[in-house]
Amino acid sequence: MPLSTQCLGPVLRRVRALMPVMLPALLAAQSPAAKGTDARILGWQLRFDRPDADLSRLSFVAQTPGVRITTGPSGGIFFRPEMTAVGDFTVTATFEFLPAPPGAMQEGYGLLLGGTDLIGMGPEYVYVLLRNDGKYLIKARSGPATKDLIPWTASPAITRLGTGPGVTNVLAVRASRASVEFRVNGVTLATRPRSDLAVNGVVGIRVNHFTDVRISNFTVAGIK
């Protein structure tokens, strides 16, 4: 038997009463997790690893005092074209990794340097990533090809994901005439001869797929 409008009245009144609570929750579930000004409006650019990447899954926003990047199924690089470093320099950034839901992937995040042709056909850069199992990776990209300079390697200097709401690591790369030093939380992870690495160029951020991270204190000493 169909319900009468008299019977539906209390139900409809209950739904109307709940709408102010339900609607924001529904909208939040359908939109990226982070809130803020789209960082691309402020001069940032990005490039996904996959040309067909779904941009609707990306959240890339300015959040004082830095930016927050929440990637979807494709990782990528994030940079300001005018932010370059040559000669002797130090690139530093503080990364706050925000845990993914239980069972989800927890991928790498870190710095890139020596960037050239980053939005062209032959992007090149060196990058160092951290991962929340306490490991780091150093790689070089040339066009579509990548090469491990140091494969995923454990270091006790890396703050690992524990029971707290997140994990913070300060990552730095120091380039001198003789060498390039990769550091985390003030501890040297690895050092390579400067002649082995092309590190003059654009500096930026790299975040792999399905990762949520805040970046602050992103600085370069000796910008030219």
Side-chain angles (χ1 to χ4, degrees):
M1 178 181 297
L3 291 173
S4 67
T5 54
Q6 184 176 5
C7 294
L8 282 173
V11 176
L12 293 173
R13 286 193 295 273
R14 176 64 175 166
V15 170
R16 283 194 293 268
L18 288 173
M19 282 306 292
V21 177
M22 295 168 59
L23 187 56
L26 289 171
L27 292 174
Q30 294 172 3
S31 60
K35 294 182 179 180
T37 302
D38 190 315
R40 288 166 288 188
I41 297 175
L42 305 178
W44 284 83
Q45 296 185 15
L46 62 91
R47 178 177 184 147
F48 276 115
D49 295 338
R50 291 170 41 195
D52 61 343
D54 183 2
L55 284 174
S56 69
R57 302 289 297 276
L58 168 74
S59 175
F60 180 32
V61 297
Q63 288 187 343
T64 304
V67 296
R68 180 175 176 180
I69 301 170
T70 308
T71 57
S74 181
I77 57 174
F78 306 81
F79 60 95
R80 299 177 68 108
E82 75 280 5
M83 198 169 185
T84 62
V86 299
D88 295 346
F89 63 84
T90 300
V91 184
T92 306
T94 300
F95 293 86
E96 181 189 1
F97 175 82
L98 303 170
M105 289 178 285
Q106 295 173 358
E107 277 286 340
Y109 53 90
L111 294 170
L112 75 87
L113 59 157
T116 61
D117 199 25
L118 293 183
I119 58 174
M121 297 298 292
E124 296 194 11
Y125 56 89
V126 174
Y127 58 106
V128 53
L129 301 182
L130 305 179
R131 202 169 64 187
N132 295 295
D133 57 359
K135 293 183 178 181
Y136 70 96
L137 167 78
I138 302 175
K139 297 186 77 167
R141 174 178 290 278
S142 180
T146 60
K147 177 183 178 181
D148 281 0
L149 303 176
I150 298 180
W152 287 111
T153 301
S155 170
I158 300 170
T159 304
R160 299 178 62 174
L161 189 63
T163 57
V167 59
T168 299
N169 285 290
V170 179
L171 185 58
V173 181
R174 296 179 178 179
S176 67
R177 179 176 298 181
S179 64
V180 180
E181 181 184 9
F182 300 87
R183 297 170 62 86
V184 65
N185 301 321
V187 176
T188 299
L189 295 172
T191 303
R192 287 291 180 268
R194 178 70 178 256
S195 58
D196 290 353
L197 301 176
V199 294
N200 288 339
V202 177
V203 298
I205 305 297
R206 176 165 178 92
V207 181
N208 283 358
H209 59 299
F210 294 115
T211 301
D212 189 3
V213 64
R214 288 194 188 100
I215 302 99
S216 60
N217 305 315
F218 180 36
T219 60
V220 182
I223 295 177
K224 294 183 179 180

